[in-house]
Amino acid sequence: FRRHRLHFFHLEWEMMWKESNTMDERIKFVARMLDGEKMAVLCREFGISRKTGYKIWDRYKECGLEGLQDRSRRPYRHANQLPFQVERTILQLKEEYPSWGAPKIREKLFRRYPMIQLPATSTIHAVLDRHGLVKKQKSRRYRAQGTELHLATRPNQLWCADYKGEFMLGNKRYCYPLTIPDQSSRYLLACESLESTKECFAFTTFERVFKEFGLPEAIRTDNDVPFSSPNALFGLSKLSVWWLRLGIAIERIKPGNPQQNGRHERMDLTLKKETTKPPAFNFLQQQEKFDDFIEIFNKERPHQAIGMKYPGELYTPSARIYQGVQSIDYPFHDKTITVTNCGRICIKKKKINLSTVFAGQKVGITEIEEGIWLVSFMQFDLGYFDEDSCRVEPLDNPFKEKMLPMSSV
């Protein structure tokens, strides 16, 4: 009977699409359990606890192979999402009293519907602003000069950055190559063998490249760390905030669309073929292989896309010299505040949660209505907060147009 169950199990497995390595390991684990092996021995061999082993086994017995797939960790509801009925009521009150602001609408909402959970004043203001019902004053804020994002036609107009994909060295350590090419000339500015994708390693690499080649007008990346932080405000990261402070626009490809960085992806394939098969024994030896590749790629290898020229014949360093981050001020805001290391704005003995990616950065705040403040970083408006809720209600993504351009590659 056990042999029959195992045969049936393998038939069912062959009918499934191939899943991730985790799924494969779970299938192997269950198959060996069906073959009569002991739970304790298998758990030691697979490097998991008995609790996890029994969980995998119980899921298989309850749901079959479907139970071995990763279960969604998405919450059933979003704790801070405003119910649509409340939002609709806010809009109705605004239509009924068009001259009222968020504080008065909040008070009216409380008096009419005392049984509902009352939203913060800043949340109500954000709802009104989202529907174009907030009369904005003429902006007198300082605005830095930006560059529109488009297809690069000259060197340093657009750089690209990406991690080629980790691979194991001969000493069993993983290498994460960070590649930075110039999009127009195809010149490969850097290919660094790094220990991980942590921000600290990326900062060091980019600072060295900026010092050697100057600053680009924009950098295009994907949406992975350290270029983006999925849980931070507008997906920003400390690295991308640093680029903004240096006057570099940020471009991001749409998730799941690597073809928007097609030139970079093609270069990465060539790099992988010529430098990682086989890989070197350690980081120093692998970096030597990358350095040799850069020399040939830039100065000896003709490129069909640029008329069989060498990238080194087309590329020239940027005229924008790297001089570090310059001081920033907000002369037309009510206050200039430095964000704390824990990502908060401190005002009137209140601590307003913003985001840790802005830690140490100066932001400008303006009181646009009694008790309601607008937060700005450089020329970008981030969101509103009131003095009661202690959190920022974000506006529409101010970086969207530059992060997700419609230009071709």
Side-chain angles (χ1 to χ4, degrees), residues 337-355 375 385-392:
I337 294 179
T338 301
V339 180
T340 65
N341 289 332
C342 53
R344 292 173 176 171
I345 298 170
C346 296
I347 177 175
K348 297 182 180 179
K349 298 183 179 181
K350 300 280 187 178
K351 295 180 179 180
I352 313 300
N353 294 318
L354 181 61
S355 177
V375 186
F385 72 87
D386 63 71
E387 297 168 7
D388 298 323
S389 66
C390 295
R391 73 171 186 272
V392 173

Side-chain angles (χ1 to χ4, degrees), residues 164 179 186 188 191 262-277 286 289-290 292-294 296-298 301-304:
K164 186 200 69 64
T179 55
R186 274 60 167 189
L188 185 54
C191 179
R263 295 178 184 178
H264 196 170
E265 295 292 332
R266 181 65 187 87
M267 186 275 296
D268 280 347
L269 288 175
T270 305
L271 175 72
K272 181 178 180 180
K273 180 180 178 181
E274 298 187 14
T275 63
T276 66
K277 297 182 178 181
Q286 187 63 50
K289 296 181 75 170
F290 287 156
D292 291 342
F293 175 83
I294 291 175
I296 296 172
F297 188 85
N298 288 338
R301 183 179 185 271
H303 290 254
Q304 189 172 0

Side-chain angles (χ1 to χ4, degrees), residues 109-264:
L109 194 66
F110 171 70
R111 290 174 180 267
R112 279 194 184 180
Y113 309 99
M115 73 294 296
I116 68 170
Q117 184 177 349
L118 205 60
T121 306
S122 59
T123 302
I124 296 175
H125 190 88
V127 169
L128 298 177
D129 184 74
R130 190 162 60 246
H131 289 83
L133 299 176
V134 174
K135 187 176 181 181
K136 297 184 178 180
Q137 300 176 352
K138 266 192 174 181
S139 174
R140 297 187 303 158
R141 296 188 305 277
Y142 165 77
R143 291 188 177 273
Q145 296 298 315
T147 305
E148 291 295 327
L149 299 180
H150 47 73
L151 182 66
T153 57
R154 62 181 186 276
N156 305 304
Q157 193 173 11
L158 177 64
W159 291 1
C160 300
D162 191 20
Y163 286 89
K164 186 200 69 64
E166 74 275 13
F167 61 93
M168 185 179 289
L169 299 173
N171 60 2
K172 306 302 181 182
R173 297 183 65 182
Y174 279 97
C175 176
Y176 297 80
L178 173 59
T179 55
I180 310 173
D182 176 73
Q183 196 207 42
S184 173
S185 66
R186 274 60 167 189
Y187 192 88
L188 185 54
L189 302 159
C191 179
E192 291 291 314
S193 55
L194 302 179
E195 296 180 14
S196 75
T197 59
K198 289 182 179 179
E199 287 176 333
C200 57
F201 298 114
F203 268 103
T204 302
T205 300
F206 275 101
E207 187 168 37
R208 179 186 65 76
V209 173
F210 291 157
K211 288 179 179 178
E212 184 175 355
F213 298 103
L215 300 176
E217 295 177 14
I219 296 179
R220 177 182 293 176
T221 69
D222 57 22
N223 297 273
D224 295 330
V225 293
F227 312 121
S228 174
S229 297
N231 299 319
L233 193 65
F234 305 126
L236 292 171
S237 66
K238 289 185 178 180
L239 185 65
S240 58
V241 167
W242 179 51
W243 291 346
L244 290 171
R245 287 295 313 276
L246 292 172
I248 301 171
I250 50 178
E251 264 190 83
R252 292 186 189 155
I253 63 174
K254 293 180 181 179
N257 286 266
Q259 68 276 9
Q260 292 183 340
N261 218 2
R263 295 178 184 178
H264 196 170

